[in-house]
Amino acid sequence: TQLLEQSPQFLSIQEGENLTVYCNSSSVFSSLQWYRQEPGEGPVLLVTVVTGGEVKKLKRLTFQFGDARKDSSLHITAAQPGDTGLYLCAGGGSTLGRLYFGRGTQLTVWP
Amino acid sequence: GAGVSQSPSNKVTEKGKDVELRCDPISGHTALYWYRQSLGQGLEFLIYFQGNSAPDKSGLPSDRFSAERTGGSVSTLTIQRTQQEDSAVYLCASSLVKGRETQYFGPGTRLLVL
């Protein structure tokens, strides 16, 4: 049983389009992190959100943490081929060191 | 090196053999984690070390898996009597302390059991 469900699993779009990736859970997390992973490399942290309702923006990427701290979304505006990669969400507990990862969304942006 | 390093980067072994995977965390990071990533799956937590505390082994899939961390730095993940289902990418991460601190990942070791 996956604690965090990500959707869609695969996303293939043209350069310039907008997209949203979702990360949902029935559990409450003290923090929610988004990672991006490229082939042959480990995941790299994009953002950490810790407050319910929090919105963070990184250039064309907008991250939102749900009010109940059970879900999150990642929105990319005007996607570029360089955005191609596996996007992973991960939930953290307040006392445990481990992270609970979703299966990821494989994004491909075509020029 | 500034980042987490892992060795070997690739390992091919025969079913039934033992393998050892190594992780060098970022200097000064007290927390170290091992995850496993299978094709089409997210990262599966295996084990985590925090300073001198007893490790959290709750994610180890069987008693064929073990890990140790010597001197609070380098860690070795050992898989005994490997099985084909052990084939995966094994990722190591480290962080300053546990909890909300950023986990920095190494590039992983790709293990293939024939």
Side-chain angles (χ1 to χ4, degrees):
Chain A
T1 302
Q2 202 74 16
L3 206 59
L4 281 166
E5 296 290 341
Q6 282 189 243
S7 62
Q9 187 177 356
F10 297 96
L11 194 53
S12 182
I13 61 173
Q14 291 293 128
E15 181 176 3
E17 293 183 13
N18 301 332
L19 66 112
T20 302
V21 176
Y22 299 93
C23 177
N24 297 299
S25 175
S26 57
S27 300
V28 176
F29 292 100
S30 66
S31 67
L32 201 297
Q33 301 181 343
W34 284 92
Y35 290 81
R36 183 175 145 211
Q37 185 178 22
E38 300 197 34
E41 299 180 7
V44 175
L45 181 69
L46 295 174
V47 76
T48 300
V49 285
V50 299
T51 305
E54 183 176 2
V55 177
K56 279 192 175 179
K57 291 190 176 184
L58 290 175
K59 297 182 180 179
R60 294 176 295 101
L61 278 61
T62 302
F63 305 85
Q64 186 163 8
F65 201 11
D67 291 341
R69 290 188 288 135
K70 292 182 179 181
D71 53 81
S72 181
S73 64
L74 158 61
H75 182 80
I76 301 178
T77 303
Q80 299 177 359
D83 295 328
T84 294
L86 178 67
Y87 289 83
L88 296 155
C89 67
S94 58
T95 57
L96 294 176
R98 61 184 294 179
L99 292 174
Y100 297 86
F101 280 85
R103 286 198 173 95
T105 295
Q106 180 61 53
L107 171 65
T108 303
V109 182
W110 301 97
Chain B
V4 177
S5 61
Q6 292 186 245
S7 61
S9 53
N10 295 282
K11 177 72 176 178
V12 180
T13 190
E14 295 178 347
K15 178 182 172 182
K17 300 279 189 182
D18 297 352
V19 294
E20 284 189 353
L21 312 180
R22 176 186 168 107
C23 172
D24 279 276
I26 294 173
S27 177
H29 281 192
T30 61
L32 185 147
Y33 314 79
W34 283 99
Y35 295 88
R36 178 169 71 174
Q37 187 175 29
S38 303
L39 194 63
Q41 302 293 318
L43 276 68
E44 174 190 7
F45 167 78
L46 297 177
I47 186 170
Y48 116 85
F49 299 87
Q50 172 62 56
N52 295 321
S53 302
D56 176 357
K57 304 179 181 180
S58 60
L60 294 178
S62 77
D63 59 8
R64 295 187 295 104
F65 288 73
S66 63
E68 61 179 23
R69 189 179 184 190
T70 53
S73 182
V74 172
S75 177
T76 302
L77 176 69
T78 301
I79 309 174
Q80 295 178 310
R81 304 181 303 282
T82 53
Q83 304 294 313
Q84 289 182 333
E85 61 263 28
D86 298 334
S87 297
V89 177
Y90 289 82
L91 290 158
C92 174
S94 71
S95 67
L96 274 173
V97 292
K98 69 176 183 181
R100 297 178 182 179
E101 294 291 332
T102 299
Q103 293 187 19
Y104 295 87
F105 284 83
T109 292
R110 281 144 198 83
L111 175 65
L112 177 62
V113 182
L114 301 177

